[in-house]
Amino acid sequence: MLPSRCTSLIRVRVPGSMAVTWTTFNKTESKVEYGLLGGRLFEMSAKGGTTLFVDSGEEKRELYIHRVTLTGLKPAATYVYHCGSDEGWSDVFLFTALNDSTSFSPRFALYGDLGNENPQSLARLQKETQLGMYDVILHIGDFAYDMDEDNARIGDEFMRQIQSIAAYVPYMTCPGNHEATYNFSNYRNRFSMPGQTESLWYSWNLGSAHIISISTEVYFYLEFGLDLLFKQYEWLTKDLEEANKPENRAVRPWIITMGHRPMYCSDDDQDDCTKFDSYVSPGLEDLFYRYGVDLELWAHEHTYERLWPVYGDKVYNGSKDQPYVNPKAPVHIITGSAGCRERTDRFNPNPKDWSAFRSTDYGYTRMQLVNATHLYLEQVSDDQYGKVIDSIWVVKDKHGFSAWF
């Protein structure tokens, strides 16, 4: 049977590697054939393993998840590949192996809350990805709406929809509340992030950044066990300690986090982030501040919101004229308006002082990690045919806890 999807995902724990994941509906061999663009087609091959995923819906559908890791890739080289077996092959795709240099300036698209119904930003993201505009995609939780529905067929359909993005560039994820059914089983089985936590939390390095992906859902779905909350916090603390060792922060000064539910937001839907004492803030805000996290990326709210540098509900701008030049607290971006069946949210007409810019347009965010001191962010409105409606430069002469003073 032909593979239903073929999605390339980076395993950045091993430099020069790419993990390819796909699904079939019967058990077959797991094989990727690949070669350098312009060279002999499929001159190399790699084999991997298969995991049986039994969906917990009424039909107990069986899906075979295939994972193959390609190693020894040349940084910045472009490879052509297909995945499958002699029983059926995918289409032919290509990807560019990530540059492992700390001076690399990667370009990202980032968003959350993209569904298979009303995925308004998807076509623009597909085209821009295939034009080579992005090195990495960050999907900050909430997929398909919902992957478990119709006995996980909605999950199958969503993976086919994002294949035209995720088969070409690394598609990095974190879980959101819409993945919670059956203890996040569709999310944990369908994605292949670094580490050994079934993609729930992990970290990786790219260019001058250390990027941390977390599950905010451990603070909300306590029925799945308090141990996840404590395990993640313990891991997160150790990861931040390691990233802040002088020898590590010197080469990767930027620390960027991504998690689904924000600490702050000014939407009028009474979500957790509309309250000062949210579930997420006490668990993470002090920790992120103490270890000098520079940028925090969130979704969940079906809007775009840029905050002034904020800590403890107070604004800590770098200066009146240049708030993002040497800011005195982390910068927060909420980007959850990619498009889904729940439409966009509304804002509270009276936001707090930390709210800098807001939009209810469908869209997504672009980010470029320019160098050790400069990071660029801009918001694209799909409603306005790809117009950039907001942009900032975050400039930091120094990083870490001491940068706040």
Side-chain angles (χ1 to χ4, degrees), residues 310-329:
V310 61
Y311 172 66
D313 212 37
K314 296 178 182 177
V315 173
Y316 289 93
N317 288 345
S319 67
K320 184 177 180 180
D321 296 328
Q322 295 180 304
Y324 298 103
V325 175
N326 297 315
K328 303 306 179 188

Side-chain angles (χ1 to χ4, degrees), residues 102-397:
T102 55
S103 61
F104 176 44
S105 300
R107 302 155 302 159
F108 301 78
L110 43 130
Y111 51 84
D113 305 78
L114 179 68
N116 84 316
E117 181 184 328
N118 187 36
Q120 184 165 326
S121 301
L122 184 62
R124 196 175 302 281
L125 285 161
Q126 289 167 332
K127 183 174 180 178
E128 290 180 350
T129 298
Q130 293 175 14
L131 283 170
M133 289 177 61
Y134 306 118
D135 300 297
V136 178
I137 306 294
L138 304 181
H139 189 145
I140 310 172
D142 279 7
F143 307 78
Y145 284 73
D146 292 341
M147 287 193 287
D148 65 278
E149 290 187 9
D150 191 14
N151 293 279
R153 289 184 180 88
I154 297 298
D156 294 342
E157 178 60 29
F158 178 77
M159 302 310 284
R160 284 190 285 269
Q161 284 177 293
I162 65 166
Q163 174 177 271
S164 51
I165 299 173
Y168 296 90
V169 294
Y171 201 88
M172 310 301 286
T173 64
C174 70
N177 55 296
H178 277 269
E179 286 67 73
T181 304
Y182 312 131
N183 195 6
F184 299 85
S185 63
N186 268 268
Y187 175 82
R188 290 187 288 110
N189 281 277
R190 291 181 185 271
F191 292 103
S192 307
M193 298 300 109
Q196 304 297 320
T197 65
E198 296 181 300
S199 305
L200 294 176
W201 59 80
Y202 59 93
S203 66
W204 54 297
N205 297 320
L206 188 64
S208 54
H210 180 68
I211 303 171
I212 302 171
S213 177
I214 61 165
S215 171
T216 55
E217 305 317 295
V218 299
Y219 294 96
F220 296 87
Y221 293 96
L222 302 181
E223 65 267 31
F224 298 136
L226 271 171
D227 60 318
L228 283 177
L229 191 158
F230 295 119
K231 281 180 182 175
Q232 176 176 259
Y233 192 86
E234 182 182 2
W235 170 87
L236 184 57
T237 303
K238 288 179 179 176
D239 190 82
L240 285 164
E241 284 176 356
E242 183 69 21
N244 271 280
K245 287 181 178 178
E247 63 271 26
N248 293 330
R249 199 90 200 229
V251 293
R252 291 196 166 87
W254 294 100
I255 295 182
I256 300 169
T257 62
M258 59 185 257
H260 183 61
R261 300 199 208 205
M263 294 182 191
Y264 299 90
C265 69
S266 65
D267 297 74
D268 72 349
D269 52 14
Q270 303 305 307
D271 273 354
D272 181 65
C273 54
T274 64
K275 307 171 182 67
F276 168 57
D277 207 13
S278 76
Y279 287 129
V280 178
S281 293
L284 298 175
E285 187 171 32
D286 286 346
L287 185 70
F288 287 176
Y289 183 79
R290 189 163 74 246
Y291 286 103
V293 170
D294 301 291
L295 176 65
E296 302 178 23
L297 305 173
W298 312 97
H300 188 58
E301 302 304 314
H302 298 171
T303 48
Y304 167 75
E305 187 164 14
R306 167 171 56 83
L307 276 55
W308 300 121
V310 61
Y311 172 66
D313 212 37
K314 296 178 182 177
V315 173
Y316 289 93
N317 288 345
S319 67
K320 184 177 180 180
D321 296 328
Q322 295 180 304
Y324 298 103
V325 175
N326 297 315
K328 303 306 179 188
V331 176
H332 294 242
I333 298 289
I334 302 161
T335 177
S337 58
C340 68
R341 69 186 181 196
E342 294 182 359
R343 311 295 165 177
T344 53
D345 292 333
R346 294 178 302 177
F347 282 118
N348 183 324
N350 301 300
K352 290 193 174 183
D353 291 344
W354 39 252
S355 183
F357 181 92
R358 311 188 297 178
S359 173
T360 58
D361 286 5
Y362 287 108
Y364 51 93
T365 308
R366 295 181 186 135
M367 176 174 74
Q368 183 168 14
L369 199 60
V370 178
N371 55 35
T373 57
H374 287 65
L375 183 152
Y376 177 71
L377 291 152
E378 66 182 21
Q379 180 66 10
V380 177
S381 167
D382 193 77
D383 287 346
Q384 298 183 50
Y385 310 103
K387 179 182 177 182
V388 174
I389 58 171
D390 185 43
S391 64
I392 60 165
W393 282 92
V394 181
V395 180
K396 301 195 71 166
D397 295 322

Side-chain angles (χ1 to χ4, degrees), residues 49-155:
T50 307
T51 303
L52 173 63
F53 167 44
V54 181
D55 177 61
S56 297
E58 284 185 10
E59 294 180 22
K60 299 292 186 285
R61 288 179 67 232
E62 294 185 350
L63 304 173
Y64 292 88
I65 312 294
H66 303 258
R67 293 179 174 88
V68 176
T69 300
L70 314 182
T71 59
L73 302 175
K74 298 177 181 177
T78 299
Y79 291 83
V80 178
Y81 75 101
H82 67 178
C83 59
S85 71
D86 290 338
E87 294 182 51
W89 293 97
S90 71
D91 290 338
V92 176
F93 304 110
L94 55 85
F95 68 85
T96 300
L98 289 179
N99 191 327
D100 58 3
S101 169
T102 55
S103 61
F104 176 44
S105 300
R107 302 155 302 159
F108 301 78
L110 43 130
Y111 51 84
D113 305 78
L114 179 68
N116 84 316
E117 181 184 328
N118 187 36
Q120 184 165 326
S121 301
L122 184 62
R124 196 175 302 281
L125 285 161
Q126 289 167 332
K127 183 174 180 178
E128 290 180 350
T129 298
Q130 293 175 14
L131 283 170
M133 289 177 61
Y134 306 118
D135 300 297
V136 178
I137 306 294
L138 304 181
H139 189 145
I140 310 172
D142 279 7
F143 307 78
Y145 284 73
D146 292 341
M147 287 193 287
D148 65 278
E149 290 187 9
D150 191 14
N151 293 279
R153 289 184 180 88
I154 297 298

